Amino acid sequence: MAREWTVGEVAARSGVAVSALHFYEQRGLIRSHRTGGNQRRYGADVLRRVAVIKVAQDVGISLADIRAALDSLPEGRTPTRVDWARLSAIWRDDLDQRIAQLKKLRDGLTDCIGCGCMSIDRCPLRNKEDRLGHDGPGARRLVVR
């Protein structure tokens, strides 16, 4: 029989708070089963899943995207190197776009601070050459993620 882990053991081993593990379970990112005494027990695969979750969160991947990726794995199986390569390839384009946005922000931040407002005509970050002003007053941007 494979070793099972209590929530406290998973928390100690992974460095993730018990409350975070409960949250991940509520969101369907990890799974446990209950003993006859109604205590949570986790399989060994949960440690690697938690590691994948934390790495993905650290680079800004949403929990919804993490869940979709983990849902693509066979039930209860520990993600392998091949699985991780596939998951990270899915996220690569998004990460590359974020890196480009951060570089643009970094390079244009001085002008932004200098203008004090992102709505004037010289803002290189949000309204280069006052393109949005040609459409009239009011909000013009809606960022959907």
Side-chain angles (χ1 to χ4, degrees):
M1 177 184 266
R3 184 180 193 291
E4 294 185 328
W5 299 69
T6 67
V7 69
E9 290 171 327
V10 173
R13 180 75 186 263
S14 67
V16 173
V18 169
S19 59
L21 295 172
H22 291 169
F23 178 79
Y24 294 159
E25 191 168 352
Q26 288 173 337
R27 296 293 186 261
L29 296 164
I30 62 174
R31 291 181 178 84
S32 69
H33 71 275
R34 300 290 182 145
T35 67
N38 202 31
Q39 296 174 330
R40 284 182 170 91
R41 291 293 186 265
Y42 296 92
D45 66 294
V46 78
L47 291 172
R48 186 153 314 149
R49 284 179 174 260
V50 170
V52 168
I53 293 164
K54 293 308 297 175
V55 167
Q57 281 185 303
D58 286 348
V59 297
I61 297 170
S62 73
L63 286 178
D65 288 343
I66 296 168
R67 180 177 178 190
L70 291 175
D71 282 350
S72 72
L73 297 174
E75 181 68 32
R77 195 190 77 212
T78 302
T80 64
R81 288 180 192 267
V82 172
D83 294 329
W84 178 247
R86 186 175 49 78
L87 298 180
S88 62
I90 292 168
W91 295 325
R92 181 177 292 279
D93 288 340
D94 183 50
L95 292 173
D96 286 342
Q97 289 175 9
R98 290 180 195 197
I99 290 167
Q101 288 175 324
L102 286 170
K103 286 181 178 180
K104 184 177 178 181
L105 175 62
R106 179 200 61 205
D107 296 343
L109 199 55
T110 301
D111 286 338
C112 180
I113 292 171
C115 77
C117 173
M118 291 219 242
S119 65
I120 68 169
D121 60 2
R122 65 178 231 175
C123 180
L125 298 174
R126 298 291 292 168
N127 191 18
K128 189 174 183 176
E129 299 171 2
D130 196 26
R131 290 186 309 256
L132 299 176
H134 301 293
D135 294 332
R140 297 281 177 247
R141 292 197 179 269
L142 175 63
V143 177
V144 178
R145 284 216 173 245

